[in-house]
Amino acid sequence: MRSSNGQGFTLVELMLVVVLMGITTMFGLSSYYRFMNDARLNSGGKALAGWLDQMRRMAIQNSKTCTVQINPASSTLELVTDPTLGNCDFQNPPRPFTFNLQEQVGQGEIVQLCARLMNPGEEFTPCSSAAPGSTITVQYTPRGTTPDNALIELRSAKQSHNRCIAVLSPLGLIRLGRVLNNRCDWSSAW
């Protein structure tokens, strides 16, 4: 006569293992998607800052005034090329003339762009409403300076920490930061 020693797993034990694996996978995928959305927002913000810096360098190299038009409604930045104004009227202009944030972020991620001009002494704070705001222009002089402070905010519905990009007068320098506690935190890394 043989006795059964209970070798193997019961159906309840197998089901418990499957449920635990499913829960672990769910949390892992959620963290992965959050990380990927954050990485896309960072990438789009850095590309935007790089494009603005390229326009600044272009003004310096060609000794011309370059004007960038920021259109929050379409999430685009465009180099104004108007020879009558003396703006960036180059024989062989650099490409691209337009920076499209949605193309940079890609993968179905919807990122809103908010932009506004700031007074020189005013504290940089994020845009207060969900409205994108009106079109603004940032002008780089032939020395690479700019007369205005501008704040650009990148907002994503999938992120709790949106991004800030500031164009600072008078030197035209570009600063990157995160939106934390309804303020632009310039000390936190992207």
Side-chain angles (χ1 to χ4, degrees):
M1 189 159 176
R2 292 176 57 194
S3 66
S4 90
N5 296 356
Q7 296 178 8
F9 299 104
T10 66
L11 182 59
V12 172
E13 291 171 332
L14 288 174
M15 288 177 61
L16 182 63
V17 167
V18 169
V19 167
L20 289 174
M21 287 176 55
I23 291 171
T24 304
T25 303
M26 181 180 67
F27 284 118
L29 284 176
S30 173
S31 295
Y32 171 75
Y33 287 126
R34 197 171 27 251
F35 170 78
M36 290 305 295
N37 289 332
D38 190 53
R40 279 195 286 275
L41 192 60
N42 283 346
S43 174
K46 287 179 181 179
L48 190 150
W51 188 87
L52 282 170
D53 192 52
Q54 178 186 7
M55 297 305 114
R56 179 179 175 269
R57 287 190 317 264
M58 190 170 63
I60 295 168
Q61 289 171 352
N62 295 290
S63 296
K64 297 279 186 182
T65 298
C66 289
T67 303
V68 174
Q69 187 175 43
I70 302 170
N71 187 345
S74 63
S75 294
T76 58
L77 287 80
E78 185 174 1
L79 178 65
V80 177
T81 53
D82 187 353
T84 61
L85 299 174
N87 288 341
C88 298
D89 56 341
F90 307 115
Q91 303 252 327
N92 296 311
R95 299 282 182 209
F97 282 127
T98 303
F99 178 88
N100 187 321
L101 183 62
Q102 298 307 328
E103 288 176 5
Q104 288 294 321
V105 174
Q107 306 244 342
E109 175 79 7
I110 303 297
V111 176
Q112 290 181 325
L113 183 110
C114 175
R116 62 187 169 151
L117 294 176
M118 310 285 290
N119 293 327
E122 192 175 347
E123 185 175 323
F124 284 99
T125 56
C127 301
S128 58
S129 67
S134 59
T135 300
I136 66 167
T137 58
V138 173
Q139 192 173 58
Y140 289 111
T141 68
R143 292 181 145 192
T145 62
T146 183
D148 299 309
N149 284 323
L151 178 66
I152 302 168
E153 183 183 344
L154 305 175
R155 286 191 240 150
S156 170
K158 297 179 181 180
Q159 284 299 317
S160 59
H161 299 297
N162 296 319
R163 306 299 185 271
C164 302
I165 301 170
V167 178
L168 303 170
S169 70
L171 298 179
L173 300 178
I174 297 167
R175 198 168 191 189
L176 308 171
R178 284 182 181 245
V179 178
L180 296 173
N181 299 326
N182 263 350
R183 302 182 69 122
C184 289
D185 180 16
W186 308 112
S187 64
S188 61
W190 275 40

